[in-house]
Amino acid sequence: MALGLQLRRQVLAGLLLCVCVGRWAEAGKVLVVPMEGSHWLSMREVVRELHTRGHQSVVIAPEVNMHIKAEDFFTVKAYAVPYTQDKFDSLVKTHEQLLFERVHFVTMFLKTMASLKTASLLFASSCEALLYNKDLIRDLNASSFDVVLTDPVYPCGAVLAKYLSIPAVFFLRFIPCDLDAEATACPNPFSYVPRLLTKNPDHMAFFQRVKNMLYPLALKYICLVAFTPYAQMASELLQREVSLGEILASGSVWLFRRDFVMDYPRPIMPNMVFIGGINCANRKPLSQVCTAAFIQSVLPVEHILLIKDILKTFPPHCKVGPCSEMDGSNH
Ligand SMILES: *[C@@H]1O[C@H](CO)[C@@H](O)[C@H](O)[C@H]1NC(C)=O
């Protein structure tokens, strides 16, 4: 009887504690490490919503960037990078123009590779400027963040989360070379899951399956160029050999900006969540849509080579061109 009363009192005290600290305990400190371009535009909506719910976000951005500007619902922490705004802008412009060039597939492929390589090196140097910025790292480490929100296609945020031992939430459209499946140990059979660029359906005939196995080999080169620097930096900072797969494996939740309506169904792990609708947060009448921005935000980057095909499917009255050439373009 006495024990029962004591238990009930304990439960009551526990409940009271929950009620008292509940609201306060809900608010978290979020460290946001965004990817440039349209990637940030979707993530910004999440940061806005986090602010509405009482959480604090600090967004880390290189001083030279495209869209990451200070707003009243987050704090920006900028860091110096070893390149100028002019160099960055010209890189973006080259990449944009490439999308609309009408050249042979092989030329297109080589040019895309060269452009991706330059971009990868630039992003890696930006990451290096962040991770080796002693003052900034000390500052971030002392700020005791609860979580890192980042797009792993720019793996700097994932490396930073691991370095500072903070749980990471990944927010992504996709990551090439099936690194998501590798990191989460998700089943990813060649016979069933169509690979990037193959245009294969999920029901494949024998030769489609062969193609499904061969195509990823070409992408391996891009991943090698693009991602090796991050594994090297992580290994140096953590003072042990780590692969990018291992870094990404420490992600708590993977939020995919995709949907089984647009992509074929595939096996997923319990910590993979599909939130494709978030790309539609800012709807505008179709006449104002900048086609280039639309294609970049809706299609996975791996489809860059297919964009020319898709452009041909637009009705003839639909104006198609890089953003800068469109009137009223603000994506
Ligand atoms: C962060 O701070 C803790 C506690 O002071 C320290 O042990 C750790 O080495 C620091 N991490 C980094 C990356 O500086």
Side-chain angles (χ1 to χ4, degrees):
M1 185 69 193
L3 186 72
L5 203 72
Q6 203 182 342
L7 261 180
R8 222 178 299 160
R9 213 178 281 160
Q10 271 177 6
V11 170
L12 211 71
L15 275 179
L16 202 68
L17 193 73
C18 283
V19 171
C20 291
V21 302
R23 267 209 72 77
W24 170 71
E26 271 170 25
K29 288 177 76 176
V30 187
L31 180 60
V32 185
V33 188
M35 168 63 180
E36 259 300 349
S38 57
H39 295 250
W40 161 243
L41 300 179
S42 305
M43 192 179 257
R44 190 177 59 179
E45 297 312 312
V46 177
V47 175
R48 195 194 300 274
E49 186 60 29
L50 285 171
H51 173 79
T52 312
R53 297 184 186 200
H55 304 290
Q56 269 179 43
S57 300
V58 173
V59 177
I60 301 196
E63 271 170 3
V64 169
N65 73 67
M66 200 189 309
H67 292 308
I68 310 166
K69 308 291 173 229
E71 293 192 56
D72 56 6
F73 53 93
F74 61 82
T75 316
V76 179
K77 249 191 211 314
Y79 60 92
V81 283
Y83 48 86
T84 61
Q85 186 79 43
D86 281 348
K87 185 173 175 207
F88 182 72
D89 291 346
S90 84
L91 185 96
V92 173
K93 212 171 168 114
T94 314
H95 197 70
E96 252 178 36
Q97 281 165 351
L98 196 62
L99 295 180
F100 297 95
E101 261 178 40
R102 316 242 162 225
V103 288
H104 188 264
F105 174 80
V106 177
T107 319
M108 181 67 166
F109 180 79
L110 294 176
K111 282 188 164 192
T112 307
M113 285 292 183
S115 170
L116 280 177
K117 193 169 174 175
T118 321
S120 302
L121 291 176
L122 186 109
F123 281 121
S125 72
S126 165
C127 183
E128 196 178 331
L130 163 61
L131 293 176
Y132 291 89
N133 184 331
K134 288 211 172 71
D135 292 338
L136 181 58
I137 293 293
R138 196 182 310 118
D139 192 17
L140 294 176
N141 195 26
S143 307
S144 39
F145 286 99
D146 297 302
V147 70
V148 169
L149 175 68
T150 189
D151 189 331
V153 81
Y154 174 52
C156 200
V159 174
L160 182 66
K162 187 92 178 166
Y163 187 33
L164 298 177
S165 309
I166 306 173
V169 171
F170 295 144
F171 180 83
L172 69 159
R173 182 64 182 85
F174 89 110
I175 184 161
C177 302
D178 300 315
L179 279 169
D180 50 348
E182 186 192 319
T184 51
C186 182
N188 192 26
F190 281 107
S191 53
Y192 174 68
V193 181
R195 293 306 198 258
L196 307 182
L197 294 172
T198 56
K199 294 188 189 174
N200 280 340
D202 56 346
H203 292 286
M204 286 173 259
F206 177 73
F207 282 107
Q208 284 173 315
R209 289 181 186 192
V210 172
K211 185 178 169 189
N212 217 34
M213 292 194 70
L214 294 180
Y215 267 53
L217 295 178
L219 280 174
K220 280 270 179 225
Y221 171 73
I222 296 182
C223 292
L224 202 70
V225 172
F227 293 143
T228 307
Y230 301 92
Q232 277 169 355
M233 283 186 261
S235 301
E236 211 174 293
L237 293 169
L238 303 174
Q239 294 174 2
R240 68 187 170 86
E241 205 58 41
V242 281
S243 66
L244 190 57
E246 189 188 331
I247 299 281
L248 295 178
S250 53
S252 306
V253 184
W254 294 67
L255 303 173
F256 287 92
R257 296 196 305 274
R258 52 200 295 177
D259 197 289
F260 284 163
V261 176
M262 279 185 75
D263 305 299
Y264 287 107
R266 58 176 246 209
I268 55 168
M269 295 308 257
N271 63 343
M272 294 175 157
V273 185
F274 286 64
I275 51 159
I278 205 156
N279 282 341
C280 313
N282 287 322
R283 279 180 295 269
K284 293 213 174 106
L286 200 56
S287 57
Q288 285 179 24
V289 169
C290 164
T291 339
F294 168 75
I295 287 167
Q296 277 165 22
S297 64
V298 174
L299 287 177
V301 181
E302 73 268 21
H303 285 183
I304 277 174
L305 298 175
L306 304 180
I307 281 181
K308 278 172 61 180
D309 290 350
I310 293 152
L311 290 179
K312 283 180 206 147
T313 67
F314 277 93
H317 64 267
C318 201
K319 201 173 155 194
V320 171
C323 287
S324 51
E325 289 171 19
M326 310 280 293
D327 27 71
S329 70
N330 47 353
H331 83 288

